[in-house]
Amino acid sequence: LLIFAVPRLTLLHGQDKTLEETLKELSKDAAQAYVSPIVSGFGANLNSGWFHRAPSATMFGLDLEFGIVVMGTFFKDEHKKFSTSGVFQFDSSEAANLTNYIKTDPTFNPYNASQRDALQRAVINAIRGNNFTVGISGATVIGERTDTVRASFGGRSFTVTDPNSGLSRVVNVPSSLVPLGIGGISDDPLPALPLLSPQLSIGTFFGTQLTLRYVPKIKVDNFGEITYIGFGIQHNPGVWFGDILPLELSASFFTQTLEAGSVFKSKATAFGVNASKRLGWGFLNLTPYAGFLVESSSMNFTYDYTLDTPTGKVPQKIEFELTGENKTRVTAGLSIKVLIVNINADYSWAKYNSA
């Protein structure tokens, strides 16, 4: 019942990787910048689609509604690339990329090919598994597949024991851009992050309507078990003051949590006011509606990162939390009801716009 825009990441060589597998190849600083757009995207989606009218100002009434809500949060070009600096550890293949110049550089004459290979391996061992402050740039998770993420190595001197002579030797490794083999998720960058959920609403008790979203554990291909639960409440204060307004008005609160296996957990909360005005009859009507919400969202990531050290593979547990950029939103929409079927659409203006 959930549609994810990021279940699989296609690398430049054509192989598919899950988001968890991709994160395992990124250090903490790089991973934070890489996934940043989907944090705000999921947060904006989770806070969308909760209302299409205010509950009526009645003490008791039976108003039961079940449906499917489809949300989409839109991305801008600035969300499809990132550039940051941070701590990074090069693995064996990336260290080999940095040191391949040793094979042809005349500085290492008169070494033959096997002697140069031995020296290169010594320098690789000095590089891999150690912390370096580098620039990291390229596509975010929602960027272009061909825009590979690159680490900018600023150059450094390493003192190693030359395996050919047994003597200490300083090797100057020049600056270089190292491709990490990770790009965005598609040939064409995603215009929006979609999400879909079932939704149940019941009212009206003392002018109050309750809304529930729930998805039990479901298996998403190579992504883990997905669970989602959300709860909302709307209250029309007009139930206490009588029919003094020309429209229905309500105060609202919504909160929800979405988990994807052991990779991430997303939380979102919104509260505010919304209003609506029914035009027509109970079985055939148009209802324009609008709302203002104060919102927040966050996403916790947890994954295993493996350091490639000269003494072997060393697993590390990486954990971090990112906060969504949306703080407030203004929503406007239109609802159409024919008999027992209701269809509505709305648009929300915020840091990340959504529909």
Side-chain angles (χ1 to χ4, degrees):
L1 291 175
L2 286 166
I3 298 176
F4 285 90
V6 289
R8 302 196 67 80
L9 304 170
T10 303
L11 301 189
L12 298 178
H13 47 72
Q15 294 181 348
D16 288 342
K17 286 196 174 185
T18 65
L19 178 59
E20 182 176 12
E21 290 168 340
T22 300
L23 289 177
K24 286 181 177 181
E25 300 183 15
L26 294 174
S27 61
K28 182 177 179 179
D29 292 331
Q32 287 178 326
Y34 183 72
V35 301
S36 179
I38 65 169
V39 176
S40 294
F42 270 113
N45 275 343
L46 293 177
N47 285 327
S48 295
W50 281 98
F51 60 86
H52 57 83
R53 57 182 171 82
S56 59
T58 57
M59 283 291 185
F60 300 102
L62 180 59
D63 188 354
L64 183 66
E65 182 179 82
F66 176 77
I68 300 297
V69 183
V70 182
M71 303 82 83
T73 295
F74 300 100
F75 295 120
K76 300 176 182 178
D77 288 341
E78 65 192 65
H79 302 142
K80 298 168 186 175
K81 292 178 178 287
F82 77 95
S83 179
T84 188
S85 61
V87 175
F88 187 80
Q89 297 95 13
F90 294 99
D91 63 20
S92 296
S93 62
E94 293 157 353
N97 189 310
L98 285 171
T99 57
N100 274 337
Y101 77 99
I102 294 175
K103 296 178 179 178
T104 56
D105 195 314
T107 302
F108 304 102
N109 287 338
Y111 279 179
N112 58 33
S114 62
Q115 291 172 318
R116 288 171 181 263
D117 285 343
L119 179 60
Q120 182 183 9
R121 287 194 296 272
V123 181
I124 288 173
N125 285 335
I127 293 175
R128 65 178 184 171
N130 290 314
N131 291 332
F132 297 93
T133 299
V134 301
I136 306 171
S137 62
T140 64
V141 64
I142 56 100
E144 292 186 18
R145 180 188 306 171
T146 54
D147 185 11
T148 182
V149 177
R150 300 168 298 279
S152 177
F153 178 73
R156 184 168 166 180
S157 297
F158 295 90
T159 300
V160 300
T161 299
D162 189 334
N164 301 293
S165 65
L167 301 177
S168 179
R169 178 169 185 166
V170 175
V171 178
N172 297 312
V173 179
S175 60
S176 178
L177 280 176
V178 181
L180 305 183
I182 299 168
I185 62 177
S186 65
D187 292 321
D188 298 315
L190 288 174
L193 178 71
L195 181 66
L196 177 150
S197 175
Q199 183 165 295
L200 174 68
S201 297
I202 186 169
T204 306
F205 307 103
F206 296 96
T208 301
Q209 175 178 285
L210 304 178
T211 303
L212 176 69
R213 292 176 179 174
Y214 176 66
V215 177
K217 287 185 178 181
I218 57 173
K219 185 75 172 180
V220 176
D221 185 29
N222 294 320
F223 199 73
E225 290 185 328
I226 304 300
T227 59
Y228 175 40
I229 186 167
F231 169 80
I233 183 170
Q234 296 180 76
H235 176 70
N236 188 335
V239 70
W240 310 109
F241 306 110
D243 192 11
I244 60 176
L245 296 176
L247 46 74
E248 301 289 355
L249 181 69
S250 74
S252 309
F253 174 80
F254 311 104
T255 184
Q256 57 258 273
T257 300
L258 182 150
E259 295 185 52
S262 60
V263 186
F264 70 79
K265 181 177 183 179
S266 182
K267 297 181 179 180
T269 300
F271 63 91
V273 294
N274 59 283
S276 62
K277 176 65 175 180
R278 191 180 77 178
L279 305 173
W281 304 272
F283 64 92
L284 180 63
N285 60 68
L286 296 176
T287 304
Y289 61 95
F292 173 79
L293 294 175
V294 176
E295 63 178 305
S296 63
S297 63
S298 64
M299 189 175 284
N300 291 279
F301 289 85
T302 303
Y303 63 95
D304 294 320
Y305 178 68
T306 302
L307 288 178
D308 185 4
T309 72
T311 57
K313 304 285 187 179
V314 179
Q316 277 190 340
K317 180 71 71 175
I318 301 293
E319 296 184 42
F320 60 87
E321 177 179 294
L322 298 178
T323 301
E325 295 185 53
N326 278 5
K327 304 303 179 185
T328 61
R329 72 167 63 200
V330 175
T331 300
L334 180 66
S335 181
I336 302 173
K337 183 178 180 181
V338 179
L339 299 177
I340 63 170
V341 177
N342 184 86
I343 299 175
N344 70 285
D346 60 53
Y347 193 88
S348 293
W349 290 266
K351 181 75 172 181
Y352 280 67
N353 295 339
S354 56

